[in-house]
Amino acid sequence: MRRVSGLGRTTALAAGAAVLASVLPGTAVAYGPGDGQGSSTTPSGNTGDDGTISATAGAVVFDRSKNGSGRSVGPVASSSNWTPPACYYAPKYTPDQLQNYLEPIWEAGSTGYEWDASQRDRYVNGQPYKDFNKDKADDGYWWSSYVTQGREGDPGALDCDRPYFWVDTGDPPPADVPEAITPEILAQLAYAEIRVPSTRVDLAPAGTTKVNLPTWSWLDTAEFKPVSVTASVPLLGIEATTVAEPVSLKIEPGTADATTYPASGVCQFDNGRIGEPYAAGKSDRTPPCGVKYLRASGDTSYKLRATITWKIHWTGTGVNAAQPLPDGEFGADQDVVVQEIQAVNR
């Protein structure tokens, strides 16, 4: 007989294996109704009218009002192999909602008699739940799995294949369900929602430079300020805010025939800025951040890549001290034409 997951999802899960963790050891978290932004009284969440607060993954609500914005922004990529969770468990149904969802499936018979009978035993006949827990309708919710938005095509589609389980209001989810939503998992989900500006550096000379001529590079740091996203489950009264702060710029000249300043090619943020704008009178100085090309680019151009590293941390319900998450990176290419210096013979 075909194996059917007890989750009863409306769409097939397509979620990869996730690196998930419970709330930090020793942290006390109360799971109960909350009144956070975008709060909801049902497991389905809420969508705000201004576009900054929205429920894009079931019961999880995102506040993006302090996120990066504009046409050039993009998501950070972890500098390691870590990725935010692809699936998780959170409140989904009231007793009546679960009944209304499952009974038509059983009556259709498409999932087979044996499976339908086992489901009735589990949710109706007291093994272990009776009548969909209707006698506790005001005291909790049925939890089920969700797929993180954008992760639908990940391998390991059925990793979160646990049957519906009941959690009383105010109680933490079962300890043997590491994928159950916690403030730390909310922080990881918020990580995936972070958007930062595209990294296009200012150059002097701009666009076209000369062989062996130090080219200064710097960033308009007004565009590179800390950004944050808050993820919450108002139904449970838990939330987490993930913050990304720019810490360094890496210059990759696009050719091995080049020297970077500093030699590592990594320019640190210093007093809120990266690099130093070129100005008259600095021609005999070495740029604090820049590149010197040793060979002309010919009929084409070099692809200079500038990548910002963002240090990322989170705080949340029951967690006051900032907790680290893997650094994120976001970069962009720009064309640099390098010409030979023309000598004049007399």
Side-chain angles (χ1 to χ4, degrees):
M1 181 183 71
R2 178 171 64 91
R3 180 179 181 274
V4 180
S5 168
L7 290 172
R9 290 181 290 273
T10 56
T11 58
L13 289 180
V19 183
L20 300 175
S22 60
V23 178
L24 298 177
T27 300
V29 176
Y31 287 78
D35 296 316
Q37 290 181 311
S39 63
S40 169
T41 57
T42 69
S44 60
N46 177 66
T47 300
D49 294 331
D50 61 0
T52 59
I53 300 173
S54 61
T56 59
V60 176
V61 177
F62 294 104
D63 180 352
R64 304 181 184 85
S65 60
K66 297 180 181 178
N67 206 6
S69 60
R71 291 182 299 175
S72 65
V73 300
V76 293
S78 169
S79 56
S80 64
N81 292 327
W82 180 87
T83 58
C87 65
Y88 57 92
Y89 295 99
K92 197 160 194 174
Y93 292 126
T94 65
D96 283 341
Q97 289 171 337
L98 184 61
Q99 179 183 16
N100 292 337
Y101 177 72
L102 287 180
E103 284 190 339
I105 297 175
W106 301 340
E107 292 168 359
S110 59
T111 51
Y113 172 78
E114 291 183 10
W115 185 81
D116 292 347
S118 69
Q119 292 289 288
R120 288 190 178 92
D121 284 344
R122 176 176 174 82
Y123 298 110
V124 181
N125 299 330
Q127 302 178 34
Y129 304 109
K130 185 176 181 180
D131 195 22
F132 297 97
N133 266 10
K134 288 184 179 179
D135 62 332
K136 303 177 71 174
D138 297 326
D139 300 324
Y141 288 97
W142 290 102
W143 286 43
S144 187
S145 66
Y146 294 88
V147 178
T148 304
Q149 188 177 29
R151 305 292 294 279
E152 294 84 357
D154 280 14
L158 296 178
D159 278 2
C160 295
D161 61 354
R162 188 182 183 95
Y164 297 108
F165 56 92
W166 180 266
V167 179
D168 285 337
T169 300
D171 286 351
D176 63 346
V177 186
E179 302 91 349
I181 202 74
T182 62
E184 185 165 2
I185 291 179
L186 284 173
Q188 295 170 1
L189 296 175
Y191 186 111
E193 297 296 318
I194 289 288
R195 297 294 181 267
V196 296
S198 178
T199 312
R200 184 175 180 87
V201 296
D202 293 308
L203 299 173
T208 300
T209 187
K210 304 294 184 181
V211 171
N212 291 321
L213 176 66
T215 299
W216 292 57
S217 61
W218 66 94
L219 284 175
D220 179 1
T221 52
E223 297 182 12
F224 293 89
K225 297 179 179 180
V227 299
S228 67
V229 172
T230 297
S232 64
V233 183
L235 194 69
L236 300 177
I238 61 173
E239 68 174 24
T241 297
T242 298
V243 180
E245 299 179 89
V247 292
S248 65
L249 165 70
K250 183 177 182 180
I251 298 291
E252 297 173 276
T255 174
D257 295 314
T259 298
T260 57
Y261 305 102
S264 64
V266 178
C267 309
Q268 301 294 329
F269 268 79
D270 183 19
N271 293 323
R273 72 180 189 184
I274 288 185
E276 181 181 329
Y278 179 78
K282 296 181 179 181
S283 60
D284 59 344
R285 290 176 48 188
T286 298
C289 183
V291 60
K292 179 172 69 177
Y293 287 96
L294 308 178
R295 187 186 297 270
S297 58
D299 295 331
T300 181
S301 61
Y302 293 125
K303 293 288 185 182
L304 181 146
R305 183 163 186 82
T307 302
I308 290 281
T309 294
W310 298 77
K311 187 158 290 292
I312 301 178
H313 64 269
W314 70 277
T315 56
T317 304
V319 180
N320 295 321
Q323 303 297 320
L325 285 169
D327 290 350
E329 298 178 340
F330 187 57
D333 295 334
Q334 57 195 89
D335 293 327
V336 178
V337 175
V338 181
Q339 299 174 339
E340 294 284 359
I341 295 178
Q342 301 297 317
V344 178
N345 296 319
R346 297 184 183 273

